[in-house]
Amino acid sequence: MRAVVTGGAGFVGSHVAEALLARGDEVTVIDDLSTGKRENVPAGATLVEHDVRQPFEVAADVVFHLAAQADVRVSVADPGLDAEVNVLGTVRVLEAAGLAGAQVVFASTGGAIYGECERPAREEDERRPLSPYGVSKLAGEEYLAGYNRLHGTRHVALRYGNVYGPRQDPHGEAGVVAIFFSRLRARKALTVFGDGRQTRDYVYAGDVAQATLLAAGGEGGVFNVGTGLETSVLELAELCGRAAGVEPELVHAPERAGELRRSFLDPGRAERELGFRAEVALDDGLRRTWKETAA
């Protein structure tokens, strides 16, 4: 298969590019390297430096669209930039894919779209984004659905849980796993906001990459990509310490305004229709992440 991965020099995008190459696909990475890193692009992939906000062309069967403005704080401070990258960028991808007759698999978000959860969120649940980032990702989903209705395409949106794994950047608003491991490596205390009982659905990057590949070739739609399990920040800190072989010191800070208490996903539809099930348990994934990032 000829595959294009936008954002393929980034955290999740590089794992998707790796998985595609591992099965023998021809891979082109499109990334402007504003947050992605050249060294993240796996050997065997062709890198094209380009900003997805600008028109472009592709020669591909599938475009995996992972290029994004993914920092919630940036979206609040500069919603115009967030919309340019996440909405206009997605429209540009749809235009390019349309000219090539390619399917689009779009990386969306679970927590930022569903809002507070009393049970694992399902795809048909009410969507209540709290940040411009969540709104822009939801807009991207709606563009895909609109193109499917208008053009008879089979584009797919994947609502990822809290993805963690090797190559995640601990700087800025990165995943808490990358931040915790960075501080453990520097032998610093782990900052826990509020009481630490906030829960999230942590899903390993390798599993996310496999789900993303499985979505290609299907009939389109929206799918959650998670484990269906919730883990508190306090539990995560303990597990990170265990993976690192140290007893973590915790420092509590005031609760952050607008932070969700519970966010986790029901992955049943992805299992039934895509054949996806997360295989890597959290403690195992954390050990793998610590080992690879400590190397």
Side-chain angles (χ1 to χ4, degrees):
M1 185 174 72
R2 297 172 303 162
V4 166
V5 183
T6 71
F11 165 45
V12 181
S14 64
H15 284 274
V16 171
E18 241 177 21
L20 288 163
L21 288 166
R23 72 177 194 184
D25 293 332
E26 177 186 319
V27 179
T28 299
V29 166
I30 296 178
D31 201 302
D32 67 358
L33 303 180
S34 58
T35 56
K37 300 176 181 178
R38 191 180 299 272
E39 57 266 29
N40 284 348
V41 179
T46 300
L47 172 63
V48 176
E49 291 186 46
H50 182 78
D51 185 333
V52 294
R53 291 175 289 182
Q54 303 300 320
F56 63 101
E57 295 182 358
V58 296
D61 303 302
V62 181
V63 180
F64 297 92
H65 180 35
L66 289 96
Q69 190 303 109
D71 191 318
V72 172
R73 292 178 301 185
V74 169
S75 80
V76 173
D78 193 348
L81 171 65
D82 184 80
E84 283 181 8
V85 178
N86 292 347
V87 181
L88 178 59
T90 299
V91 172
R92 296 300 191 203
V93 167
L94 287 166
E95 290 173 339
L99 290 173
Q103 184 184 30
V104 174
V105 177
F106 172 60
S108 188
T109 175
I113 281 181
Y114 291 119
E116 200 70 48
C117 299
E118 295 182 0
R119 56 163 174 74
R122 303 182 185 121
E123 290 85 353
E124 65 271 15
D125 285 349
E126 183 181 0
R127 300 161 301 176
R128 297 172 292 183
L130 292 173
S131 66
Y133 167 69
V135 172
S136 67
K137 281 296 189 178
L138 184 54
E141 289 188 11
E142 293 296 338
Y143 266 101
L144 262 69
Y147 268 63
N148 286 347
R149 291 189 294 269
L150 180 63
H151 300 294
T153 47
R154 298 175 294 112
H155 303 319
V156 183
L158 301 177
R159 293 176 180 163
Y160 294 160
N162 279 52
V163 189
Y164 72 95
R167 297 193 291 277
Q168 191 167 27
D169 190 343
H171 304 293
E173 185 170 327
V176 64
V177 170
I179 294 171
F180 277 1
F181 277 161
S182 176
R183 294 191 68 82
L184 288 171
R185 192 168 295 109
R187 301 195 177 278
K188 294 181 179 179
L190 307 184
T191 301
V192 175
F193 295 96
D195 61 11
R197 300 188 186 281
Q198 309 92 319
T199 64
R200 298 291 184 270
D201 187 337
Y202 296 99
V203 57
Y204 188 64
D207 280 337
V208 170
Q210 290 304 317
T212 305
L213 268 61
L214 286 169
E219 291 305 311
V222 178
F223 300 90
N224 289 333
V225 177
T227 66
L229 304 173
E230 55 181 335
T231 302
S232 73
V233 176
L234 292 176
E235 291 169 328
L236 183 69
E238 180 182 350
L239 289 170
C240 285
R242 191 180 304 168
V246 300
E247 184 69 30
E249 176 190 354
L250 304 185
V251 174
H252 285 263
E255 185 174 346
R256 292 181 289 191
E259 184 172 18
L260 299 174
R261 293 294 296 174
R262 299 180 72 191
S263 175
F264 58 125
L265 308 177
D266 182 340
R269 179 182 292 178
E271 182 174 355
R272 293 189 301 272
E273 299 186 27
L274 302 181
F276 167 73
R277 177 184 291 180
E279 300 289 344
V280 180
L282 182 55
D283 56 350
D284 184 26
L286 291 172
R287 283 194 296 269
R288 295 187 195 184
T289 303
W290 176 260
K291 182 178 179 180
E292 291 197 36
T293 55

